[in-house]
Amino acid sequence: MWADAAFGPVRRDVITAPAHSAEAVPHGMPMHRWVMHTNAMFGATMIADGLADAHVHDHRLALTLLRGTGELSRNTVNERPGHAGWPVPTPGAQCLGAFSARTALYLHGPMSDDLLSRVRDVCDDVLLPLVGESWRDGRAGRRMGWPRGRRRSVRTLGRYAVCA
């Protein structure tokens, strides 16, 4: 199991708790942009923008779509007895309201260094698509918040466009 992290891919092995542990092991794992599950013949990578938690169970990938909390350090949590810190209500952390995310599934071969590079490129293509527009007058620039009368140039760097 591999997942993207802030500074690159990280191998995420399944954690099992000791027999008489007071705390339960969480089923999810953090991810930055993707999570990958492979075997000796093939694999699958789930790519997500806006979702930061994944889960693998019985060789199935799953994304956590909604997670929220109304209070930090509750005393009634099944996974952990007692308080983990100062009890604080956090009604804003429930993130009530509309939410959107983009996901993609990339099917591929077994794990290799070359595969990690391809997964990174596929993530860039999915999450950072190159978009072009024709601007025939100054109205398009004002839609983007540019001041009237100020000229902007757009140049491309490989697959990416940079506004100057």
Side-chain angles (χ1 to χ4, degrees), residues 1-5 8-12 29-36 54:
M1 175 74 69
W2 289 79
D4 192 21
V10 175
R11 184 181 176 110
R12 305 249 186 224
M29 72 177 110
M31 59 175 260
H32 188 64
R33 301 188 307 167
W34 56 264
V35 61
M36 175 194 313

Side-chain angles (χ1 to χ4, degrees), residues 75-155:
N75 193 22
T76 58
V77 177
N78 294 333
E79 291 82 11
R80 174 199 28 82
H83 288 286
W86 194 262
V88 177
T90 56
Q94 293 181 0
C95 301
L96 301 176
F99 177 79
S100 65
R102 293 183 299 166
T103 63
L105 180 64
Y106 176 49
L107 303 176
H108 49 75
M111 180 60 181
S112 68
D113 289 338
D114 181 54
L115 175 63
L116 287 175
S117 178
R118 283 185 286 140
V119 166
R120 185 192 65 230
D121 291 343
V122 168
C123 282
D124 288 344
D125 291 343
V126 170
L127 301 177
L128 305 169
L130 181 60
V131 178
E133 293 181 9
S134 296
W135 296 350
R136 299 184 187 270
D137 58 17
R139 289 180 286 181
R142 286 195 297 278
R143 277 198 317 256
M144 296 186 70
W146 294 343
R148 179 176 281 225
R150 187 145 180 225
R151 296 184 63 115
R152 296 287 181 169
S153 62
V154 177
R155 60 188 161 97

